[in-house]
Amino acid sequence: MKGGFNYKMLGRPVSVTLTALVCTTILLLVWEKNPFADTLLLAREHFPIPSIDFLEDSSSKSLKTDENVQGKDSPSVIIEEAKEIENSGAAPVQGKGSPSIIIEKTNKTQNSGAAPIQGNSPSTTIEETNKIENSGAAPTDFASSPRVHEHNSNATSPHQPKVCNYAKGRWIPDSRRPLYSGFHCKQWLSAMWACRLTQRPDFSFEGYRWKPESCEMPEFERSAFLRRMQDKTIAFIGDSLGRQQFQSLMCMATGGEESPEVQNVGKEYGLVKRRGAIRPDGWAYRFPKTNTTILYYWSASLSDLVPLNSSNRTTDIVMHLDRPPAFMRQYLDRFDVLVLNTGHHWNRGKINGNRWVMYVDGKPNEDKRRAQIDRAKNFTIHSVVRWLDSQLPSHPHLKTFFRTISPRHFFNGDWNTGGSCDNTTPMSGGSEVVQEGSSDLIIESALRGTKTKILDITALSQLRDEGHVSRYTIRGTAAVNDCLHWCLPGIPDTWNELLIAQI
């Protein structure tokens, strides 16, 4: 009895083991021939997930620029852009007996990470965020397969740098504004733009800051800014609105206080006043403690201007539409940050008054369509941007920005027909920008696919018609309304905050 009992006890685990082996063998055979299981494990091998480059969003845009944005003399421009889907991946990819692998593309300008890939799930959903163009963000890496995530529950999606659409947001009150005193920044600020020195009675426009919708904009602090810009040169090249941005940054960087330690280094860049000239072509200043240089060069059209006869002061000026200014070509290797702008000098009155004659390929332009102001401007901007893009590989330290056009706010006429901008109520036309793209379609189009970033200030500045110089002057005499330039401190300070946030 005792021996039989032991025999039965020994045989029971053997039977269980044999049964388990048989069942396992059967399951493995069934699994091997099961197409569903094969799809689960090898979906990546049978149906590779397309890369970002494979997926193109189909979008169309038809926008008309505001007359006050482009200037009355310039016709409104409508740019329509249509992007076709290449090898359309809209429909879910179906495998034989397999669950769908759905690739969703969310067209957003906000920075949102990819949705987490679910492990141990037959279906995989991958969301791709369509980030802001020219952001420089690295493409999302889709190299990992569903099987990898199935076996590694702790796996996370690759790190994606945050990208902010700084042009989309709203103006909010801020008691800490302005960033400097309009009374004291006389060393850098032109008196005609220092509205605190005029008879203007209301300065409520100074008490607002711009808040982007999808991220926080860092607070400007001049010491931190100069440390960040140590041994670097920031160059503004453009028209008088570019000069305003330059003066704004000088006031911001010095706190609007007298700064005798700041050195005038204009001679290093040939920025000296010529005989008979009202002012030099630009200015350059250096902060010795951090070796930070901030300069401005006047180039209203961003084309190379060369006198047809240098010995004749009344000669025509050749306007090379396809050639960047000589100053930019000569000193580009010394710049670390370059900010370009143009716009309001592109009208027939300015071109004729300046005796500018359009040239292309070194000879007079004979293309009548290109001679149209809006087309000439578009051609020049594209030419400058393409040239910059060709130079960037040999200047890896250089960051380039193109600022969009600053809006005009003449009401009931133009500057020479009684137009005015008398509003003193902040944001009477709204305080928020909700559009996705830029209001400056020419700049937006020219920068697409290049490494030059857009400094988009048009729509947010359009809301601030109360911030212009208007009819006030330092002499207190009646004057033509200036509804183009801005009071400083004022809106251009925000342009610089947006610039610094993106450097």
Side-chain angles (χ1 to χ4, degrees), residues 477-495:
T477 56
V480 174
N481 270 255
D482 186 350
C483 304
L484 172 64
H485 297 101
W486 304 90
C487 290
L488 291 176
I491 310 306
D493 303 334
T494 296
W495 303 350

Side-chain angles (χ1 to χ4, degrees), residues 20-31:
L21 287 173
V22 171
C23 292
T24 302
T25 302
I26 294 172
L27 287 173
L28 287 174
L29 290 173
V30 172
W31 180 265

Side-chain angles (χ1 to χ4, degrees), residues 418-471:
S420 62
C421 45
D422 294 330
N423 176 42
T424 57
T425 303
M427 275 77 71
S428 58
S431 62
E432 186 174 9
V433 173
V434 298
Q435 67 191 44
E436 298 293 342
S438 175
S439 296
D440 192 333
L441 304 182
I442 291 180
I443 302 300
E444 185 179 54
S445 173
L447 300 186
R448 189 172 292 117
T450 73
K451 294 181 180 179
T452 297
K453 293 185 178 181
I454 189 170
L455 181 56
D456 193 1
I457 58 88
T458 304
L460 62 89
S461 302
Q462 184 69 38
L463 299 172
R464 303 303 306 276
D465 65 288
E466 87 285 5
H468 289 291
V469 174
S470 189
R471 65 179 183 273

Side-chain angles (χ1 to χ4, degrees), residues 84-299:
E84 298 180 357
I85 300 178
E86 296 181 3
N87 304 320
S88 178
V93 181
Q94 299 290 342
K96 181 180 178 181
S98 71
S100 302
I101 299 178
I102 304 172
I103 300 178
E104 299 178 354
K105 182 174 180 182
T106 304
N107 185 21
K108 299 178 181 178
T109 52
Q110 299 179 14
N111 177 50
S112 59
I117 299 177
Q118 301 295 332
N120 301 319
S121 172
S123 62
T124 302
T125 302
I126 298 178
E127 296 181 0
E128 172 195 340
T129 301
N130 184 24
K131 299 181 184 296
I132 302 170
E133 293 181 359
N134 301 328
S135 66
T140 307
D141 182 10
F142 289 142
S144 56
S145 69
R147 184 168 67 174
V148 171
H149 287 276
E150 187 175 85
H151 291 288
N152 183 9
S153 60
N154 293 324
T156 57
S157 59
H159 174 71
Q160 299 179 7
K162 291 184 177 180
V163 178
C164 176
N165 180 4
Y166 289 96
K168 186 178 181 181
R170 67 184 188 278
W171 291 99
I172 62 173
D174 189 341
S175 60
R176 296 169 294 179
R177 303 289 154 140
L179 298 174
Y180 54 91
S181 168
F183 286 114
H184 301 142
C185 194
K186 298 178 182 179
Q187 189 175 354
W188 324 109
L189 179 55
S190 296
M192 58 185 174
W193 297 329
C195 291
R196 284 281 182 176
L197 302 180
T198 70
Q199 286 69 41
R200 180 175 178 135
D202 181 80
F203 299 94
S204 58
F205 66 89
E206 293 181 349
Y208 293 83
R209 68 178 175 89
W210 179 251
K211 179 176 175 57
E213 177 188 86
S214 57
C215 64
E216 289 295 328
M217 194 160 65
E219 189 73 21
F220 177 80
E221 201 284 311
R222 58 187 179 122
S223 297
F225 163 70
L226 290 172
R227 287 195 300 269
R228 275 185 63 194
M229 295 296 104
Q230 184 160 350
D231 301 322
K232 290 180 171 54
T233 297
I234 303 174
F236 295 92
I237 298 180
D239 57 22
S240 57
L241 277 304
R243 182 182 169 199
Q244 282 211 298
Q245 189 173 358
F246 158 75
Q247 292 190 4
S248 162
L249 188 58
M250 287 300 301
C251 289
M252 291 168 65
T254 59
E257 301 295 337
E258 291 291 325
S259 304
E261 76 281 2
V262 177
Q263 303 166 351
N264 184 342
V265 294
K267 289 185 178 180
E268 293 184 17
Y269 297 89
L271 300 176
V272 294
K273 183 178 177 180
R274 300 187 306 275
R275 179 177 296 179
I278 299 175
R279 62 181 67 91
D281 289 334
W283 295 264
Y285 297 101
R286 182 167 297 141
F287 294 78
K289 288 186 178 180
T290 58
N291 193 34
T292 303
T293 303
I294 303 175
L295 67 84
Y296 162 77
Y297 178 77
W298 185 89
S299 178

Side-chain angles (χ1 to χ4, degrees), residues 351-476:
I351 290 177
N352 292 341
N354 290 323
R355 303 190 306 277
W356 290 346
V357 181
M358 296 182 186
Y359 271 53
V360 177
D361 292 330
K363 55 187 178 182
N365 173 55
E366 297 178 354
D367 188 332
K368 292 183 179 180
R369 283 170 55 85
R370 184 182 291 155
Q372 297 174 17
I373 299 299
D374 59 327
R375 293 181 181 276
K377 172 187 173 183
N378 193 22
F379 179 80
T380 299
I381 291 173
H382 277 77
S383 296
V384 170
V385 171
R386 282 197 304 269
W387 179 82
L388 267 180
D389 223 39
S390 71
Q391 300 299 308
L392 288 178
S394 57
H395 300 82
H397 65 285
L398 177 61
K399 295 184 179 181
T400 57
F401 297 84
F402 209 120
R403 180 174 60 70
T404 60
I405 195 167
S406 172
R408 304 157 15 118
H409 288 96
F410 287 97
F411 297 99
N412 302 316
D414 210 333
W415 68 272
N416 56 352
T417 58
S420 62
C421 45
D422 294 330
N423 176 42
T424 57
T425 303
M427 275 77 71
S428 58
S431 62
E432 186 174 9
V433 173
V434 298
Q435 67 191 44
E436 298 293 342
S438 175
S439 296
D440 192 333
L441 304 182
I442 291 180
I443 302 300
E444 185 179 54
S445 173
L447 300 186
R448 189 172 292 117
T450 73
K451 294 181 180 179
T452 297
K453 293 185 178 181
I454 189 170
L455 181 56
D456 193 1
I457 58 88
T458 304
L460 62 89
S461 302
Q462 184 69 38
L463 299 172
R464 303 303 306 276
D465 65 288
E466 87 285 5
H468 289 291
V469 174
S470 189
R471 65 179 183 273
Y472 304 102
T473 66
I474 193 170
R475 294 184 299 274

